[in-house]
Amino acid sequence: MDLRFGDGKPTDEERAAVDALLGPPESSWEGADRDGMRAGDLRWARGGREARDRRDQLLPGLHAVNDRVGWISEGALDYLCRRLTVPPSEAYGVATFYAMFSVRPRPATVLHVCTDLACAAAGAGALCAGIESRLGPGSGVSVERSPCLGLCERAPAALAIRAGEPVRTAVSAPATVDSAVLAASAPDAAPEEPAAAMAVPQAGDPSLTLLRRVGAVDPASLDDYRAHGGYAALRRAFALGPAGVIREVTDSGLLGRGGAAFPTGRKWQATASQPDRPHYLVCNADESEPGTFKDRVIMEGDPYALVEAMTIAAYATGAHRGYLYLRGEYPRALHRMRHAIDRARARGLLGDDVLGQGYAFDIEIRRGAGAYICGEETALFNSIEGYRGEPRSKPPFPVEKGLFGKPTVENNVETLVNVLPVLTMGAPAYAAIGTGRSTGPKLFCVSGSVGRPGIYELPFGATLGELLELAEVRDGLRAVLLGGAAGGFVRADELDIPLTFEGTRQAGATLGSGVVMAFDDTVPLPRLLLRIAQFFRDESCGQCVPCRVGTVRQEEALTRMVERTGSGAAGDIALLREVGSAMRDASICGLGQTAWNAVESAIDRLGAYE
Amino acid sequence: MTVTPLGIPRRLLEFTLDGEPVRAPEGSTILDACRAAGKDIPTLCEGDTLTPKNACRVCVVEVEGSRTLVPACSRRAEPGMEVRTGTERARHSRKVVLELLASSVDLSTTPRAAEWIKEYEAKPDRFGPDAARVDEEPRVDNDLYVRDYGKCILCYKCVDACGDQWQNSFAISVAGRGFDARIAVEHDGPLTESACVYCGNCIEVCPTGALSFKSEFDMRAAGTWNEAAQTRTTTVCAYCGVGCNLTLHVQDNEIVKVSSPHDNPVTHGNLCIKGRFGYQHVQNRD
Ligand code: SF4
Ligand code: SF4
Ligand code: SF4
Ligand code: FES
Ligand code: FES
């Protein structure tokens, strides 16, 4: 293919950022001098297959520039395109897809202030106003209102990112105007974040399974991980062989924890048996559901567990390469996972010969860049491949044609770490935890009007009330959002709902990603619902009409309804129902299909506008 | 019209369409089968020369056992499938999708849109006068064609035609996301600074008139565009030896635009800048 590039020239800094990622350019059309007819004209390239095969470096390349300079200029984008033989129009489409990138000049420091549900309930509105008035124009900081930062247990939260070499980040949570401004103006001097274990109120409880090591183990030390039982599961996996591992996982009854509750063993089997090669493993760590932060805590507190679990999943399904797609807003998790993967590789636990068993496996980390939709499995593949993070239509399913068009098994962090106890305790013992259909332990992210917010581990089957009691729910509980923005509300008198997949379904609710957000009667419900609608409007990829326009119409109606009740709201409620059912029925992916769930449940169960 | 090459005969599979057993060649979509059975399903993003993106969702039908509706244009028929095209549920979604589209963009030059809006009793006005619209000034940055994104339904057809499905120029792409997503060239600049080679293949596939010949755009603005008064003549392009078919649209003895028959097995409706836009010399009467 013939590609045409613009005249844009990168600055030295931009060129250095790209070259640091891709290495110096090798041939003329990659950006240096050329011979022949169009010598010196950088606007044309006859792309070789090799360069095009690096299309998947587009997202890392955009990160490299954005990290170094703070935004992506025309010259930088053009240079990156030349290096990768990517059409500039497509790269522009990708760069403008992600919220963390800017194609317009902006200050080197961006302060993301969360205005999502838990933070809004904890006063994010006033915090934002305070920060903005303190950091007026000319402060060198761009303040951006952000969806959930995954720090809900410490709401309200803010994340400062300062471009440079290296890029600096600082988290402020719970944030005050002072602490957030400090994080933005001096990220290096900002106080250290509390340990991951602080997000686990049960830390140290000997009955824990998944969270057993969080707080007990040094997340930086591989030896400490092994001293706490690490790598026993992988040894057992090698002893069982791939088919044996799949049998154990199937017998354990483990269901995917990402929301769809698909049997993990079946998914692994389906991938393992595909004749097409190679197979890929993708770990979905793009946790962006408002109210969810469990993956972050696992990656920060017990990173080697995820490395080990990914190795087992890859071994069972015949994958030799795994991608860890990590949310862009999680700097500490990124740092810890990077460290863990490097250490594991150095010690022969990743690489050509894992544990001396002749099995090759390695993990590459890919950072998301602020797009909730990339948590949808096929959107995630597109994102890794360097395309816009738009969901693909299914069929074909990922087990057949996933990442790079190859058979791919995709699991989220919580699902994967469950494989460790499955193998160490054996399928029957694991299946004995929980209920008959929902087996094993389950993580819940509790936030909102509770005294001890954080991640809780309970066997499936505990009731919502039991969980909220543990979390010391405050008086005056009005509603609980179960399953996040894509889930639904339940009433304060429905706390006997058993927390299982079947139990919540029977109650007309969903476990979703394990979000439990409690709201007391001081929280204005209509504003909360409007915020949910804004979230979906912002996060829709825009591909299909019911979602692209439907989320806008939904937000418009909820804006009108903020001050209305009874018959004044009836017309808009009817409108919402009609649009909502078309969104649920006709949208391409889960985002559009679930965008109306929470609002519908608030109308029907809570009588939000009566 | 889809041209089916006379290859090895494909096996037939059997499934149920609105209660009637039908047979369709393996690999056909539900839409193919519907059309063969004489059923009229609205479609916008489906195009006879492209792989549909199935993004518009006006063609949704009900398939037994599927949680959601499925796009007829893209879902392959499977043996034993039970498909229902005219159910309350499917019709409701089509109606709402038409309302959402018509309330957000200008469908006045979209063929059949008005007819479907009537058939499904869609009421695009119900979202109120303040409903957000894509209100954009048409982009007139060259003499050949105009981009009027206030009419764009984001069907991705132009992107696919310009990109790997036909032209391989990759001049345009979708930028931004959600309601702010737009078709754009790099850095959202003018076409003249992009990789566009003015083949006009994107205009050929655009279902809404968002992309149109400058001649058509100007005549519409002047109120002189009159499709009923136009004749169409298909001829062979004289510029080179490939022999592409051109359809000349003539109004008042002037060529007002050039299209190309989609059923031509060589070009499938695609042309180059000369065939598409180089008609001025024909009517140069000096
Ligand atoms: S439902 Fe929404 S997020 Fe999903 S593909 Fe459609 S527009 Fe994109
Ligand atoms: S005229 Fe041809 S090259 Fe230009 S944007 Fe349209 S399809 Fe692409
Ligand atoms: S410009 Fe036309 S072809 Fe392109 S996406 Fe819009 S409606 Fe479709
Ligand atoms: S961090 Fe603000 S709501 Fe989650
Ligand atoms: S025509 Fe089928 S989804 Fe657009």
Side-chain angles (χ1 to χ4, degrees):
Chain A
M1 83 182 143
D2 258 348
L3 289 184
R4 184 193 184 279
F5 301 102
D7 301 319
K9 292 264 184 303
T11 64
D12 290 345
E13 227 186 347
E14 290 163 345
R15 186 190 294 267
V18 173
D19 289 351
L21 174 78
L22 302 176
E26 274 170 22
S27 65
S28 53
W29 50 262
E30 272 203 351
D33 292 332
R34 308 153 56 96
D35 6 279
M37 245 171 43
R38 285 176 179 152
D41 182 352
L42 297 183
R43 290 175 306 169
W44 295 86
R46 182 152 282 131
R49 175 161 286 285
E50 281 132 62
R52 234 177 302 149
D53 282 351
R54 291 194 301 177
R55 167 86 184 227
D56 70 301
Q57 290 299 317
L58 182 58
L59 183 55
L62 294 171
H63 266 302
V65 174
N66 200 69
D67 276 354
R68 181 86 66 116
V69 190
W71 67 286
I72 298 158
S73 72
E74 292 190 20
L77 193 71
D78 280 346
Y79 181 65
L80 186 59
C81 287
R82 281 205 296 273
R83 292 295 316 271
L84 297 173
T85 336
V86 171
S89 67
E90 287 192 358
Y92 180 76
V94 172
T96 52
F97 187 83
Y98 296 100
M100 293 176 84
F101 298 148
S102 172
V103 293
R104 310 258 167 273
R106 65 174 173 188
T109 307
V110 179
L111 182 65
H112 301 269
V113 186
C114 177
T115 53
D116 221 322
L117 306 175
C119 292
L127 175 69
C128 260
I131 293 171
E132 271 162 353
S133 76
R134 183 84 68 82
L135 290 169
S139 66
V141 177
S142 153
V143 180
E144 293 184 5
R145 283 155 204 259
S146 161
C148 177
L149 290 167
L151 296 159
C152 325
E153 87 280 10
R154 285 181 274 149
L159 165 68
I161 302 179
R162 172 171 295 180
E165 172 55 14
V167 61
R168 256 94 22 116
T169 59
V171 160
S172 163
T176 59
V177 173
D178 285 334
S179 71
V181 168
L182 174 69
S185 50
D188 293 333
E192 172 89 25
E193 275 188 76
M198 296 302 286
V200 181
Q202 300 158 299
D205 182 336
S207 70
L208 293 179
T209 305
L210 301 173
L211 298 175
R212 177 167 63 96
R213 273 182 299 259
V214 177
V217 78
D218 172 1
S221 165
L222 179 52
D223 288 326
D224 204 26
Y225 178 68
R226 296 184 103 150
H228 281 83
Y231 281 100
L234 181 62
R235 282 181 199 287
R236 172 118 202 279
F238 280 130
L240 289 169
V245 176
I246 293 180
R247 199 177 330 110
E248 283 291 282
V249 173
T250 307
D251 291 349
S252 74
L254 173 62
L255 299 179
R257 305 293 200 238
F262 192 80
T264 306
R266 242 170 65 204
K267 196 190 249 190
W268 287 18
Q269 177 60 49
T271 312
S273 61
Q274 294 290 327
D276 195 10
R277 303 271 146 178
H279 292 183
Y280 289 108
L281 167 75
V282 171
C283 172
N284 185 346
D286 189 53
E287 163 179 76
S288 311
E289 182 69 40
T292 324
F293 45 98
K294 57 196 168 117
D295 294 354
R296 174 179 61 80
V297 171
I298 292 171
M299 291 189 287
E300 289 179 351
D302 196 8
Y304 291 100
L306 182 56
V307 176
E308 183 183 359
M310 283 180 72
T311 312
I312 294 168
Y315 174 67
T317 54
H320 295 286
R321 172 160 286 274
Y323 287 88
L324 174 62
Y325 190 88
L326 212 161
R327 207 181 163 196
E329 291 89 337
Y330 282 178
R332 185 161 71 171
L334 173 70
H335 174 78
R336 296 256 160 96
M337 288 309 305
R338 246 188 209 151
H339 180 80
I341 288 168
D342 289 347
R343 291 303 303 150
R345 191 181 299 122
R347 298 274 291 273
L349 292 162
L350 287 175
D352 293 338
D353 186 15
V354 175
L355 262 181
Q357 298 284 324
Y359 179 72
F361 176 64
D362 214 329
I363 300 174
E364 196 174 317
I365 299 182
R366 287 305 174 90
R367 276 155 81 195
Y372 169 74
I373 189 57
C374 289
E376 200 279 344
E377 54 183 354
T378 58
L380 193 158
F381 301 152
N382 278 335
S383 179
I384 292 181
E385 291 177 20
Y387 294 91
R388 292 165 56 79
E390 293 170 351
R392 304 173 182 169
S393 46
K394 294 185 266 189
F397 292 93
V399 294
E400 233 180 285
K401 282 192 189 329
L403 186 63
F404 302 114
K406 296 294 175 185
T408 302
V409 63
E410 201 239 21
N411 288 125
N412 80 342
V413 174
E414 186 187 347
T415 311
L416 284 169
V417 297
N418 266 283
V419 171
L420 303 176
V422 166
L423 289 182
T424 48
M425 64 174 70
Y430 180 93
I433 308 172
T435 64
R437 310 249 310 272
S438 300
T439 60
K442 173 81 191 105
L443 301 181
F444 297 96
C445 308
V446 188
S447 60
S449 313
V450 294
R452 298 206 307 160
I455 300 193
Y456 288 83
E457 176 184 320
L458 291 175
F460 271 113
T463 65
L464 180 57
E466 285 163 2
L467 173 61
L468 284 174
E469 200 173 306
L470 268 180
E472 295 173 5
V473 65
R474 299 210 190 97
D475 291 340
L477 182 71
R478 162 100 201 259
V480 181
L481 181 60
L482 255 190
F489 287 94
V490 298
R491 285 188 311 272
D493 62 4
E494 295 180 294
L495 300 187
D496 52 354
I497 293 180
L499 297 172
T500 57
F501 291 117
E502 62 279 11
T504 45
R505 199 177 313 128
Q506 210 162 30
T510 168
L511 270 193
S513 54
V515 170
V516 176
M517 260 187 188
F519 297 101
D520 61 25
D521 44 22
T522 64
V523 178
L525 259 184
R527 296 221 160 263
L528 202 69
L529 299 180
L530 178 58
R531 173 62 203 156
I532 291 176
Q534 282 165 346
F535 174 80
F536 285 112
R537 194 270 324 265
D538 284 345
E539 299 297 338
S540 166
C541 83
Q543 193 180 199
C544 64
V545 177
C547 174
R548 178 176 75 236
V549 188
T551 52
V552 173
R553 298 289 175 255
Q554 194 183 5
E555 188 205 355
E556 289 166 351
L558 288 165
T559 304
R560 289 192 290 268
M561 287 161 67
V562 160
E563 306 295 339
R564 288 192 207 158
T565 51
S567 58
D572 276 323
I573 290 179
L575 189 80
L576 281 169
R577 284 192 202 281
E578 287 207 18
V579 173
S581 70
M583 288 170 72
R584 183 173 290 157
D585 267 350
S587 295
I588 294 180
C589 83
L591 187 147
Q593 289 160 10
T594 60
W596 143 252
N597 284 2
V599 177
E600 182 185 40
S601 68
I603 293 170
D604 291 344
R605 285 179 107 106
L606 306 178
Y609 298 97
E610 276 162 19
Chain B
M1 179 169 45
T2 315
V3 187
T4 321
L6 296 175
I8 309 158
R10 287 182 293 171
R11 261 187 293 170
L12 293 179
L13 53 84
E14 216 165 304
F15 68 104
T16 325
L17 191 58
D18 290 329
E20 302 286 324
V22 290
R23 284 147 74 85
E26 236 173 22
S28 345
T29 62
I30 294 174
L31 184 68
D32 293 335
C34 287
R35 287 184 174 162
K39 289 180 198 294
D40 184 25
I41 309 264
T43 57
L44 284 167
C45 70
E46 183 264 351
D48 51 0
T49 62
L50 295 159
T51 306
K53 183 78 177 167
N54 64 69
C56 78
R57 319 305 277 186
V58 292
C59 71
V60 287
V61 296
E62 223 170 304
V63 171
E64 184 70 36
S66 168
R67 191 172 40 89
T68 56
L69 300 174
V70 310
C73 64
S74 311
R75 180 62 61 86
R76 309 238 168 253
E78 287 163 32
M81 225 179 205
E82 275 182 52
V83 180
R84 281 185 300 277
T85 62
T87 61
E88 184 57 40
R89 216 176 134 205
R91 291 185 65 89
H92 172 78
S93 280
R94 285 184 217 147
K95 175 188 98 150
V96 171
V97 164
L98 288 165
E99 288 174 338
L100 293 173
L101 272 180
S103 64
S104 56
V105 296
D106 169 9
L107 295 184
S108 63
T109 49
T110 303
R112 301 201 65 189
E115 176 195 329
W116 291 326
I117 285 175
K118 203 156 156 244
E119 179 191 337
Y120 287 92
E121 291 169 35
K123 298 190 184 59
D125 293 340
R126 63 205 289 237
F127 303 112
D130 299 330
R133 288 185 69 83
V134 181
D135 272 326
E136 294 201 355
E137 283 301 304
R139 295 190 179 208
V140 190
D141 53 19
N142 66 86
D143 292 335
L144 302 182
Y145 80 99
V146 176
R147 300 177 290 162
D148 184 358
Y149 293 134
K151 293 179 169 177
C152 172
I153 59 163
L154 274 184
C155 69
Y156 290 66
K157 274 180 174 175
C158 55
V159 175
D160 289 342
C162 186
D164 59 1
Q165 292 196 26
W166 291 115
Q167 185 59 27
N168 273 294
S169 284
F170 301 93
I172 47 177
S173 166
V174 179
R177 75 175 183 217
F179 197 72
D180 299 325
R182 295 286 185 278
I183 303 292
V185 307
E186 64 264 34
H187 320 304
D188 200 17
L191 266 182
T192 46
E193 282 169 27
S194 76
C196 177
V197 299
Y198 303 97
C199 61
N201 294 334
C202 52
I203 313 172
E204 182 76 49
V205 297
C206 179
T208 62
L211 306 177
S212 68
F213 278 68
K214 177 114 184 337
S215 50
E216 173 173 348
F217 180 82
D218 289 342
M219 287 172 78
R220 280 189 190 276
T224 54
W225 181 260
N226 183 358
E227 216 151 284
Q230 290 169 11
T231 58
R232 297 175 183 209
T233 316
T234 297
T235 171
V236 175
C237 180
Y239 273 105
C240 75
V242 171
C244 302
N245 284 179
L246 307 180
T247 301
L248 309 175
H249 300 238
V250 176
Q251 181 180 332
D252 297 332
N253 245 348
E254 295 262 336
I255 300 173
V256 290
K257 72 173 182 183
V258 175
S259 62
S260 178
H262 290 197
D263 57 0
N264 182 305
V266 179
T267 58
H268 295 281
N270 296 302
L271 295 170
C272 76
I273 180 172
K274 293 188 239 166
R276 181 87 61 192
F277 293 108
Y279 54 81
Q280 290 305 336
H281 80 281
V282 179
Q283 47 202 30
N284 197 337
R285 298 193 180 86
D286 292 345

